[in-house]
């Protein structure tokens, strides 16, 4: 894999702010394996920016609209 194809990881809170989605929803997506993530030695969760973008772009309910965690959990089949 070339460096141009490597995912860009950003902090969970920054991803939520950048894409206008709920932090808890992103955390659950990571926990369920829907989204790639890494944990830093300090315990911070970093998510693949491209994964968040794809999730938001492919789901019209998420694009620029807040969604409750319970609705997202039901929609994506995560607890």
């Amino acid at each position: 894999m070339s460096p141009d194809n490597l995912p860009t990881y950003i902090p969970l809170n920054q991803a939520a702010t950048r894409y206008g989605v709920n932090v808890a929803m992103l955390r659950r997506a990571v926990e369920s394996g829907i989204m790639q993530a890494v944990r830093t030695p300090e315990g911070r969760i970093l998510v693949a920016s491209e994964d968040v973008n794809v999730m938001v772009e492919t789901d019209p309910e998420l694009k620029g609209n807040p969604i409750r965690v319970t609705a997202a959990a039901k929609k994506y089949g995560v607890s």
Side-chain angles (χ1 to χ4, degrees), residues 1-60:
M1 182 178 278
S2 75
D4 295 334
N5 296 337
L6 293 174
T8 302
Y9 286 88
I10 59 176
L12 196 68
N13 293 338
Q14 182 180 346
T17 300
R18 179 182 293 178
Y19 294 102
V21 294
N22 188 291
V23 174
M25 185 198 69
L26 291 179
R27 187 170 280 119
R28 283 183 169 59
V30 168
E31 290 169 358
S32 68
I34 293 172
M35 203 176 324
Q36 295 180 35
V38 295
R39 187 175 296 272
T40 67
E42 298 82 23
R44 293 177 56 193
I45 298 172
L46 307 176
V47 293
S49 178
E50 294 80 8
D51 285 357
V52 180
N53 186 44
V54 167
M55 188 171 82
V56 171
E57 289 295 321
T58 58
D59 191 335

